[in-house]
Every structure is written in structure tokens, then in C-alpha cells.
Amino acid sequence: MAHYAKVEDGVVTQVIVADNKEWCEANLGGTWVQTSYNTVGNVNSREGGVALHKNYAGIGYTFDGTGFAPPQPFPSWSKNSTTYLWEAPTPKPTDGKIYNWDEATTSWVEVDND
């Protein structure tokens, strides 16, 4: 058994566990693409595993024939062509503090914990 994503007009509308792609298409109709929950950012977490379609598919993800990408979180973010994950125009600070993205200023803003 494996996971399969139903893709309609380039968007994932359903993810199920099934025997194979042919079963999905014959019994449920539409276009189905195999996906693996072990794949994130074009890396398979299992030792010796091969990445499958860049990321595990989720409802609302897009599929371009090569990989699955999550929805774009902010208009200023760009999709990494290798990982198919979205990246902010500036890297998130790594100083141990908590930050949120502020699209209006296209910058990371420290969260006030008070």
C-alpha cells in the first residue's frame, strides 16, 4: 500500500492510501500521483530512501508534473526549485528568539513574549 494524491488542474484535492495508481484511476477516476510521507524538501528521511516528487502531498498543494509544493505562504516568498519549499526573501534570524514574518515590511519581526 502507498499514498496517492488526486490532482485536478494542478492542485491536490485528495490524498489516500491504495494498492496502486491504476486502482485509483479505475475506481475513483481522475489523475492520481504517488506521494511519500518520508519525502520533505526533496529528501527522503529513510536511510537509502529516494525522494518522491519533492514533498509529501497535502490538500491544496500544487503539482507541476515534477513535484508537490505547499501553498505559497506570502506573496514575497519564492519557491526553491530543488526543494519545492517556499523561502522568505531574507533568512529567518537564528539567534534563538521567536520571529514572525511581516509581509508589509518583508522582514522578520521578533515576537514579544510579555
Side-chain angles (χ1 to χ4, degrees), residues 74 76-77 88-90 99-109:
F74 299 98
S76 66
W77 289 32
T90 57
Y99 292 88
N100 284 332
W101 181 253
D102 180 18
E103 184 65 12
T105 62
T106 61
S107 64
W108 293 99
V109 177

Side-chain angles (χ1 to χ4, degrees), residues 1 5 9-10 21 24 27 30 32-33 35-36 43 45 47 59 71-72 75 78:
M1 299 285 257
D9 298 321
K21 173 184 171 176
C24 295
N27 292 282
W32 292 82
V33 179
T35 187
S36 171
V43 174
S45 62
E47 186 174 333
I59 294 173
Q72 186 175 12
S78 57

Side-chain angles (χ1 to χ4, degrees), residues 33-49:
V33 179
Q34 188 173 358
T35 187
S36 171
Y37 61 81
N38 294 313
T39 301
V40 176
N42 203 29
V43 174
N44 186 305
S45 62
R46 294 176 55 203
E47 186 174 333

Side-chain angles (χ1 to χ4, degrees), residues 10-72:
V11 178
V12 175
T13 59
Q14 187 177 10
V15 180
I16 65 169
V17 176
D19 286 329
N20 55 53
K21 173 184 171 176
E22 292 74 24
W23 182 93
C24 295
E25 291 175 349
N27 292 282
L28 304 172
T31 301
W32 292 82
V33 179
Q34 188 173 358
T35 187
S36 171
Y37 61 81
N38 294 313
T39 301
V40 176
N42 203 29
V43 174
N44 186 305
S45 62
R46 294 176 55 203
E47 186 174 333
V50 176
L52 182 63
H53 300 297
K54 310 284 185 177
N55 294 289
Y56 179 67
I59 294 173
Y61 279 45
T62 56
F63 183 72
D64 65 1
T66 299
F68 294 104
Q72 186 175 12

